[in-house]
Amino acid sequence: MRAGLPVLWACLALALCAGPLSGCSSSSKANAGGANGQGQEVSEEESAQKKQEAAELAKNEELLTQIETKKREEEAEHKAKKSEAELLAKERKRIATAEAEARKRVKAAEEKAKKKEAALKAEALKREQEAKRTTTTTTSTSSNKAPPPNESGSVPQHVTE
């Protein structure tokens, strides 16, 4: 709007100067017979000038409104892009944190499984050793006893020769 003001002042000054100069170039007949016509002509020129200035002012105001609207739209777009980038960064951070927690839980589960497996192996080894001890003890004490029955269920006879 301020950019249009110097143009307005220049047009107004031109209109004011053009009015008296146009009267000087007229013939003496026009001056004598058209004093009233000259005032009307100046009034019409001023009216036309004012209309032109008003139209130019309206055009400048419209242009200024368009520029301001475009600027607001660009600012809104920039703000939207910035907030979108911030949200994207937060989401990436949240995902990275979730992945790290998941890896941590998996690692803990694997360690727990290894410990359980080791405990089961140790328990199996212990049972196996106890079974061997029991078998050894049972075998040494049962060698005086009769042998166990065959598959058919009969007790084998000792043959002595």
Side-chain angles (χ1 to χ4, degrees):
M1 186 166 171
R2 291 184 184 260
L5 286 177
V7 173
L8 275 169
W9 286 111
C11 291
L12 186 60
L14 181 63
L16 291 175
C17 293
L21 290 176
S22 66
C24 294
S25 67
S26 301
S27 64
S28 57
K29 279 188 184 180
N31 279 340
N36 192 14
Q38 189 180 25
Q40 188 178 11
E41 185 180 312
V42 171
S43 176
E44 287 176 3
E45 286 180 15
E46 287 178 3
S47 175
Q49 184 68 27
K50 285 182 182 178
K51 285 181 183 179
Q52 183 182 3
E53 289 173 3
E56 191 173 326
L57 182 62
K59 182 181 176 184
N60 288 342
E61 287 176 350
E62 184 180 340
L63 182 61
L64 179 62
T65 303
Q66 289 175 351
I67 291 170
E68 288 174 346
T69 303
K70 186 174 182 179
K71 184 178 178 182
R72 281 192 300 267
E73 288 174 356
E74 288 174 352
E75 288 174 352
E77 186 177 326
H78 176 71
K79 185 177 178 182
K81 284 182 180 180
K82 183 179 177 183
S83 62
E84 183 181 352
E86 288 173 353
L87 288 173
L88 187 59
K90 284 181 182 179
E91 185 65 18
R92 285 181 181 155
K93 185 176 180 180
R94 186 190 64 78
I95 289 171
T97 303
E99 287 176 347
E101 287 294 322
R103 284 191 298 270
K104 188 177 178 181
R105 284 192 299 269
V106 166
K107 186 176 180 181
E110 287 174 350
E111 288 177 8
K112 184 177 178 181
K114 285 179 183 179
K115 286 180 182 178
K116 187 174 182 179
E117 186 180 341
L120 289 174
K121 282 183 180 179
E123 182 68 27
L125 183 62
K126 183 178 177 183
R127 285 183 184 171
E128 186 179 308
Q129 289 174 349
E130 284 181 15
K132 283 183 182 179
R133 269 190 251 136
T134 307
T135 307
T136 308
T137 308
T138 308
T139 316
S140 60
T141 56
S142 66
S143 50
N144 297 338
K145 294 183 182 178
N150 286 342
E151 289 178 20
S152 61
S154 63
V155 177
Q157 300 287 327
H158 283 292
V159 179
T160 53
E161 288 189 46

